[in-house]
Amino acid sequence: MSITANDPKRKTWLDIPKDTDFPIQNIPFGVFLTRDDIITIGTRIGDFAIDLGALHQLGYFEGIPLTDDIFLQDTLNDFISDGKKTWRLVRNRIAELFDEKNEALKNNQEHRNVVLFTLDEIEMQMPVQVGDYTDFYSSKEHATNVGSMFRDKENALLPNWLHIPVGYHGRSSSIVTSHIPIHRPKGQTMPEGAKEPVFGPSKQIDFEMEMAFITTDANLLGEPIPVDEAEDYIFGMVMFNDWSARDIQKWEYAPLGPFLAKNFASSISPWIVTMDALEPFRTEGPEPEKELMSYLKYTGKKSFDINLEVFLKPEDGEENLLSQTNYKYLYWNMSQQLAHHTINGCPVNSGDMMASGTISGPTPDTYGSMLELSWRGEKPVQLKDGSLRSFIEDHDTVIMRGFCENESIRIGFGEINTKILPVFEPKKK
Amino acid sequence: MSITANDPKRKTWLDIPKDTDFPIQNIPFGVFLTRDDIITIGTRIGDFAIDLGALHQLGYFEGIPLTDDIFLQDTLNDFISDGKKTWRLVRNRIAELFDEKNEALKNNQEHRNVVLFTLDEIEMQMPVQVGDYTDFYSSKEHATNVGSMFRDKENALLPNWLHIPVGYHGRSSSIVTSHIPIHRPKGQTMPEGAKEPVFGPSKQIDFEMEMAFITTDANLLGEPIPVDEAEDYIFGMVMFNDWSARDIQKWEYAPLGPFLAKNFASSISPWIVTMDALEPFRTEGPEPEKELMSYLKYTGKKSFDINLEVFLKPEDGEENLLSQTNYKYLYWNMSQQLAHHTINGCPVNSGDMMASGTISGPTPDTYGSMLELSWRGEKPVQLKDGSLRSFIEDHDTVIMRGFCENESIRIGFGEINTKILPVFEPKKK
C-alpha cells in the first residue's frame, strides 16, 4: 500500500503558515482536551487541531476497519495496536479529506465546526499510556564526552559500547508532555571533598536532547524481533527531554544505574510523527567501527535526518540557542535498539517508549546536554543577557525543537517547552 | 477501623487443610480465569478460590462503597485505587461470610455453586497491570556477597549503600505469574579470557529470592511521600523471582545497570497478601549502621517476619531445598524504599510493583541466589540425585515458598513454580 499522504505536491484547503512543522504531509497523532472538556484523539495541520473522533462519527473513515470508539479514547494505545496497515489507511484518508481538491468537508460548515479547533481551544495530553520506557545511550559522542569527564580520555568508551546498543529501564509514570512545569528535585549528593553525603535541592539540573520512538505490540515473551522487521513495530517518534540531576546521579548510580537522578521527570513533544511521514528523510548512520553481531546487522538506510535545537529562556528573557544537533549522528539506530531489546525474548507492547539517549554531534555546538555544553561547569555558557549557566536554574524554560527538511517539504515535531520551578513545598496542614 | 479479619480464633465453615497458607485470617486478592472462561477477581481460603465478582453481584458486599463492576475486571488496579479503608471493609466482610457461625452463604447451595471453585477449575492470572516496576537492592548480605565476588572483600559495599536504599528501574512487561515457563535467553557475553564478545544462550541462569509490594495511587508529580505515611499506600505483597542471566549481566551492566540480564522474565506468586494480613508479623529490622538522613528515619516496627524457601526440582526428580531465608534480614524496609523513591517527586500509581532485591541472610544456607549459593560456580551445589548445579539448567523447575507463622496462625504466600525451557526456536516459515 503506497503512502499517498506523503505526496509533496499536495496542498490543503486549510489556511496554514508557509513554514509550519505540520503541513498536510505530516499528519501526526496526538490526544487533546477540547473546548468542551472532552478528551479525543486528533491530528494537526498547520495551526488547526482536528478531532478524529468527530470525523469518524461523521463517517469520514468509512471503509477503513476501525472500531466505533477507536478515536474516542484518552490514549492512542488501541489505535497503535491496530497495526501499520491501519495507521497508513487513516493517514492517507486524512490527507485526502484536507486536500484542496476535496470539497466534502471543506464545504460542510456544520461538520467543520465540530471537527476543527484552533490551538488555543485545546490542551495537549500524553499521547499514549507508556507501558514500559527504555532509555538507550546510542550517541558515541555523548558517551565519549561523559566517559572522558568521569573516567579518563583514553578509556572514555567502555569496552561493551561498540558491541551493544547500551540501554536501561526508566520510569514511565513521570513522563509528561510539553508545558508541564517541573519542580527541582531534592535528593542526596556527595559534594566534592565531603566525607558524608548531604541532602537538599539538586544543584545540577540538566536537560538531555533525545528522540523517542513508540512501539506497537511486537512479540510474545521469549520471541526476539529480527532487526530487519523492527520498523514494522514502530508507530512514530516524539522529541524527548530526559531531565537529569547530575549531582544526584553521580552519588547514586553505581552499581545499578541512574534512578532518582532521572525519574523525577521526562518531557515529550505531544504530537507523534509517524514513521511514514519521516520516510523521505531516511539516511545512513555512521559506519560501524567493530564487526556487528549478526542480530544487529541490518540492510538499507535505518537512520533519519532530523534537525534538533535546544533553547534556554530565562524568566522574562529571550530565547538563547544552546545547541543544534541531528538525530543522524547516533551510532545505533532504532532497528538495532529494538532487535537488541528483544534478543532475550523481552516482550514489547503498544505504547512502549524507547528513547535514544542524549544526541551529541562531533562539535561543541552540537552537544545535547548542559553537562557537555558547559563541560561539567568548567566552561559556563553565556546568555544574551550576560548571565552564565553551568546547569539549569529555577524559572528557566528549556525549549526543544525538531524538524526534517528537504527542497520540497518540512516535517516537524513542534516543541517541548518546560519550565523548572523551585523545589516543591508541601502545604502546611 | 479494626481489622476483624485478623481474629486468630475465627474458624471457617469451609473444609480446609490444617496447615494451609490460606486460612480465613489470610484472605489474599488475585485474578483468575474460571471454568466458564471468565476472568474475575477473587480470594482464596484453603484450597477454594472464591469469585468476588459473583459475591458482589449476589449482594454480599452491601453497605460497602464499591462500583458494580469493581471485581469484574482483569486486574486489581481499580480496586487498589479505592484505598485502604475499602480494602479493609471488603476483607473484614469476607471473613464474616466464611465464619463458621455465619450461615447465609453456607446454607445457600445455589450461591455456593457460583461463588466457590476448586483450584483445578481456575487458572491464575497476573493480579495487577504493573505500571512501573522498581527493584531495590536492600539486603546488606547480598550486596556484600556480590561486591566481594566482583570487586574486593574489603570494599565489598559501595560508599553509597548504607546511605541510600539503592534501587533501579526494571521491566514491567516481562513480569509473569507462577507456572509460566521461561525460555533461556540468548545474548552477548564476554567469556573469561576472551578478546571479543560471543553470542549464544546464557550459561548462567539464576533466580533471585525477593519479595515485592504493590502500591496504590500515592502522590502527584513533585510530591514526596513521608516515610511514616508510606505504609498507607501499600496494598500487599507477593513473592518475586527476579530471573537473572549472570554472564549477560557482567558484560552489559556498566555503566547504566542490568538490562537484558533481567528483563527476559520475572515471576511472582499470584495471590497478593494484604499488609493487614501481615500485621501480626511486624518486627524490627537491623539497626542502621550509619546515621540516617531524616527522610529515611521512621518510627515503629516496619519489617516483617516472613520465612522464605527456595527449592530446585530437576526434570522428573525430587525437590531439593536450596535456601531458607527471611524477609526480616533486609537492611532497608518498604517505608524507607517508598520514601526514597518519591523524595524527588517521582509519582507512584496503583499497580506499581517494588521488589526488595535478593534476600540473603548471614549464613550460606540463607543466600537467596545461585550466584551466592554456588559462590560464582566455585562451590557447586549437590542435589539429592548426585548431580551438581552452579546455575539453573534447562528443564529445572525453581520453586519459591513463603509464609509467616506464630503460635496461633500461619499466613502464607503459596508458591512461585517456574520451569526453565531451552532457548526459543522460531517456527520455520
Side-chain angles (χ1 to χ4, degrees):
Chain A
M1 180 176 35
S2 67
I3 318 173
T4 57
N6 284 5
D7 177 1
K9 298 207 191 72
R10 191 194 301 271
K11 290 198 169 68
T12 176
W13 50 263
L14 286 168
D15 181 22
I16 67 173
K18 199 172 168 291
D19 58 349
T20 179
D21 276 355
F22 303 97
I24 192 168
Q25 289 78 12
N26 191 338
I27 311 183
F29 291 89
V31 173
F32 56 82
L33 198 66
T34 70
R35 59 196 166 215
D36 310 312
D37 250 2
I38 289 165
I39 286 195
T40 186
I41 286 171
T43 186
R44 175 172 174 179
I45 299 178
D47 291 337
F48 293 98
I50 295 155
D51 182 342
L52 298 183
L55 267 186
H56 189 25
Q57 282 183 313
L58 295 169
Y60 287 98
F61 293 118
E62 207 186 289
I64 302 177
L66 294 167
T67 55
D68 288 349
D69 64 348
I70 193 70
F71 297 123
L72 299 172
Q73 306 203 16
D74 54 9
T75 70
L76 278 155
N77 295 53
D78 285 353
F79 176 61
I80 294 174
S81 284
D82 282 349
K84 179 161 267 189
K85 199 176 156 187
T86 302
W87 315 332
R88 196 167 282 175
L89 286 167
V90 167
R91 191 165 159 274
N92 285 346
R93 178 69 59 86
I94 295 168
E96 283 165 32
L97 283 172
F98 290 91
D99 187 305
E100 61 177 354
K101 296 185 214 82
N102 189 331
E103 308 206 322
L105 179 61
K106 182 182 176 181
N107 292 343
N108 189 326
Q109 192 59 47
E110 201 183 322
H111 285 187
R112 284 173 62 161
N113 285 347
V114 294
V115 162
L116 289 175
F117 294 81
T118 55
L119 294 182
D120 58 358
E121 293 175 315
I122 65 162
E123 193 179 291
M124 295 305 296
Q125 309 291 307
M126 274 293 290
V128 286
Q129 180 173 11
V130 181
D132 278 292
Y133 154 55
T134 300
D135 194 24
F136 286 93
Y137 189 57
S138 288
S139 157
K140 182 164 169 260
E141 291 81 357
H142 172 69
T144 306
N145 287 340
V146 173
S148 32
M149 271 182 245
F150 291 105
R151 286 182 300 275
D152 59 306
K153 232 170 176 169
E154 302 311 306
N155 300 293
L157 269 193
L158 288 179
N160 57 16
W161 201 93
L162 291 170
H163 297 279
I164 292 179
V166 171
Y168 66 110
H169 300 295
R171 181 87 189 169
S172 302
S173 71
S174 53
I175 302 176
V176 296
T177 189
S178 181
H179 291 85
I180 305 283
I182 306 297
H183 286 282
R184 175 176 301 269
K186 288 188 274 195
Q188 291 191 30
T189 59
M190 179 67 96
E192 203 78 41
K195 290 206 169 139
E196 294 290 323
V198 299
F199 179 77
S202 166
K203 292 176 178 159
Q204 299 186 346
I205 296 300
D206 200 356
F207 60 81
E208 293 193 335
M209 174 78 244
E210 307 193 9
M211 295 290 297
F213 64 92
I214 291 107
T215 62
T216 184
D217 308 288
N219 63 331
L220 299 176
L221 186 75
E223 298 181 357
I225 300 172
V227 64
D228 278 330
E229 291 177 21
E231 283 191 358
D232 293 345
Y233 303 105
I234 302 178
F235 175 63
M237 297 179 80
V238 292
M239 291 187 293
F240 195 98
N241 183 350
D242 180 19
W243 291 102
S244 301
R246 300 297 178 193
D247 43 358
I248 294 174
Q249 185 172 352
K250 197 178 163 198
W251 169 235
E252 77 170 356
Y253 90 100
L256 299 176
F259 183 54
L260 299 189
K262 299 280 189 174
N263 68 17
F264 62 98
S266 311
S267 304
I268 66 168
S269 54
W271 293 105
I272 304 177
V273 176
T274 64
M275 296 315 294
D276 275 357
L278 297 172
E279 191 60 41
F281 303 95
R282 275 187 190 277
T283 185
E284 310 267 4
E287 270 296 302
E289 296 174 31
K290 289 263 187 187
E291 174 75 10
L292 294 175
M293 299 261 181
S294 64
Y295 78 94
L296 296 171
K297 274 185 195 155
Y298 60 93
T299 52
K301 296 179 182 174
K302 302 275 193 201
S303 191
F304 292 86
D305 182 3
I306 307 171
N307 302 290
L308 300 168
E309 297 173 336
V310 186
F311 301 84
L312 189 151
K313 185 180 169 306
E315 183 90 319
D316 303 320
E318 282 180 87
E319 286 186 12
N320 295 260
L321 178 64
L322 297 183
S323 175
Q324 279 186 301
T325 187
N326 194 298
Y327 186 77
K328 70 182 176 191
Y329 294 137
L330 290 174
Y331 187 87
W332 297 103
N333 61 48
M334 290 179 269
S335 298
Q336 292 173 310
Q337 289 166 346
L338 197 49
H340 181 67
H341 204 317
T342 59
I343 189 62
N344 67 348
C346 178
V348 168
N349 298 315
S350 176
D352 288 355
M353 199 171 276
M354 298 190 188
S356 57
T358 307
I359 302 171
S360 291
T363 54
D365 56 333
T366 62
Y367 292 169
S369 67
M370 281 305 281
L371 179 71
E372 294 163 273
L373 290 165
S374 77
W375 208 256
R376 235 190 332 179
E378 289 166 24
K379 303 173 189 170
V381 174
Q382 183 157 21
L383 306 184
K384 291 179 198 165
D385 64 11
S387 66
L388 298 174
R389 288 290 185 285
S390 293
F391 292 97
I392 305 303
E393 298 190 357
D394 287 350
H395 310 292
D396 281 352
T397 297
V398 173
I399 302 161
M400 296 182 168
R401 299 198 177 98
F403 58 95
C404 305
E405 209 164 36
N406 61 25
E407 55 293 336
S408 48
I409 50 164
R410 171 186 172 110
I411 300 289
F413 289 83
E415 67 175 33
I416 318 178
N417 180 307
T418 314
K419 187 169 184 174
I420 291 293
L421 301 179
V423 289
F424 173 83
E425 296 298 341
K427 286 182 197 115
K428 297 275 184 290
K429 281 181 188 176
Chain B
M1 179 177 35
S2 67
I3 318 173
T4 57
N6 283 5
D7 177 1
K9 297 206 191 75
R10 192 193 300 273
K11 290 198 170 65
T12 175
W13 50 264
L14 286 167
D15 181 21
I16 68 172
K18 198 170 168 295
D19 57 350
T20 179
D21 275 355
F22 303 98
I24 192 166
Q25 289 78 14
N26 191 337
I27 311 182
F29 291 88
V31 173
F32 57 82
L33 199 65
T34 70
R35 59 196 166 215
D36 310 313
D37 252 1
I38 290 164
I39 286 194
T40 187
I41 286 171
T43 187
R44 176 173 172 178
I45 299 178
D47 291 337
F48 293 98
I50 295 155
D51 182 340
L52 298 183
L55 267 186
H56 190 25
Q57 282 184 312
L58 294 170
Y60 287 99
F61 292 119
E62 207 185 291
I64 302 177
L66 294 167
T67 56
D68 288 349
D69 63 348
I70 193 71
F71 296 124
L72 300 172
Q73 306 204 15
D74 53 10
T75 70
L76 278 155
N77 295 53
D78 285 353
F79 176 61
I80 294 174
S81 284
D82 283 347
K84 180 162 265 187
K85 197 175 158 189
T86 302
W87 315 331
R88 197 168 280 175
L89 286 168
V90 167
R91 192 164 157 273
N92 285 346
R93 178 69 59 86
I94 295 168
E96 282 165 31
L97 282 173
F98 290 91
D99 187 307
E100 62 179 352
K101 294 186 214 80
N102 188 329
E103 307 207 324
L105 180 61
K106 181 181 177 185
N107 292 344
N108 189 327
Q109 192 59 47
E110 203 183 321
H111 286 188
R112 284 174 62 162
N113 285 347
V114 295
V115 163
L116 289 175
F117 294 81
T118 56
L119 295 182
D120 58 357
E121 293 175 313
I122 65 161
E123 194 179 289
M124 295 304 296
Q125 309 292 306
M126 273 294 290
V128 285
Q129 180 173 11
V130 181
D132 278 292
Y133 154 54
T134 299
D135 194 23
F136 286 92
Y137 189 55
S138 288
S139 157
K140 182 164 171 257
E141 291 82 356
H142 173 69
T144 306
N145 287 339
V146 172
S148 32
M149 273 183 244
F150 290 105
R151 287 182 300 274
D152 60 305
K153 232 170 175 168
E154 303 312 305
N155 301 294
L157 269 193
L158 287 178
N160 57 14
W161 201 93
L162 291 171
H163 297 279
I164 292 178
V166 171
Y168 66 111
H169 299 295
R171 181 89 188 167
S172 302
S173 72
S174 53
I175 301 176
V176 296
T177 189
S178 182
H179 291 86
I180 305 283
I182 307 296
H183 286 281
R184 176 176 299 269
K186 287 188 275 195
Q188 291 191 29
T189 60
M190 179 66 96
E192 202 78 41
K195 290 204 170 141
E196 293 291 322
V198 299
F199 179 76
S202 165
K203 292 176 179 160
Q204 299 186 345
I205 295 301
D206 201 357
F207 60 82
E208 293 193 335
M209 174 78 244
E210 307 192 8
M211 294 291 296
F213 63 92
I214 291 107
T215 61
T216 185
D217 309 289
N219 62 331
L220 299 176
L221 186 76
E223 299 182 356
I225 300 172
V227 63
D228 278 330
E229 291 177 22
E231 283 191 358
D232 293 345
Y233 303 104
I234 302 178
F235 175 63
M237 298 179 81
V238 293
M239 291 185 293
F240 194 98
N241 183 350
D242 180 20
W243 291 103
S244 301
R246 300 296 177 193
D247 43 358
I248 294 173
Q249 186 172 351
K250 197 178 163 197
W251 170 235
E252 77 170 355
Y253 91 100
L256 299 177
F259 183 54
L260 299 189
K262 299 279 189 175
N263 68 17
F264 62 98
S266 310
S267 304
I268 65 168
S269 53
W271 293 105
I272 304 178
V273 176
T274 63
M275 296 315 294
D276 274 356
L278 297 172
E279 191 59 43
F281 302 96
R282 275 187 190 278
T283 185
E284 310 267 4
E287 270 296 302
E289 296 173 31
K290 289 263 187 188
E291 174 75 12
L292 294 174
M293 299 261 181
S294 65
Y295 77 93
L296 296 171
K297 274 185 196 156
Y298 61 94
T299 52
K301 295 179 182 174
K302 301 275 193 202
S303 191
F304 292 85
D305 182 3
I306 307 171
N307 301 290
L308 300 168
E309 297 173 336
V310 187
F311 300 85
L312 189 152
K313 186 180 170 304
E315 183 90 318
D316 304 320
E318 283 179 86
E319 286 186 11
N320 295 260
L321 178 65
L322 296 183
S323 175
Q324 279 185 300
T325 187
N326 195 300
Y327 186 78
K328 70 182 176 191
Y329 294 137
L330 290 174
Y331 187 88
W332 297 103
N333 61 50
M334 291 179 268
S335 297
Q336 292 172 310
Q337 289 166 347
L338 197 49
H340 182 66
H341 204 316
T342 59
I343 189 63
N344 67 348
C346 178
V348 168
N349 298 315
S350 176
D352 288 354
M353 198 172 278
M354 300 191 186
S356 58
T358 308
I359 303 170
S360 291
T363 55
D365 55 334
T366 62
Y367 293 168
S369 67
M370 280 305 282
L371 180 70
E372 294 163 273
L373 291 165
S374 77
W375 208 255
R376 234 191 332 180
E378 289 166 23
K379 302 173 189 170
V381 174
Q382 184 158 19
L383 306 185
K384 291 179 197 165
D385 64 8
S387 67
L388 297 173
R389 287 292 184 284
S390 292
F391 292 98
I392 305 302
E393 298 190 357
D394 287 351
H395 311 293
D396 282 352
T397 297
V398 173
I399 302 161
M400 296 180 169
R401 299 199 178 98
F403 59 95
C404 305
E405 209 164 38
N406 61 24
E407 54 293 336
S408 48
I409 50 164
R410 171 184 172 111
I411 300 289
F413 289 83
E415 68 174 32
I416 318 178
N417 180 306
T418 314
K419 188 170 182 172
I420 292 293
L421 301 179
V423 289
F424 174 82
E425 296 298 342
K427 286 183 197 113
K428 297 273 182 290
K429 281 181 183 169

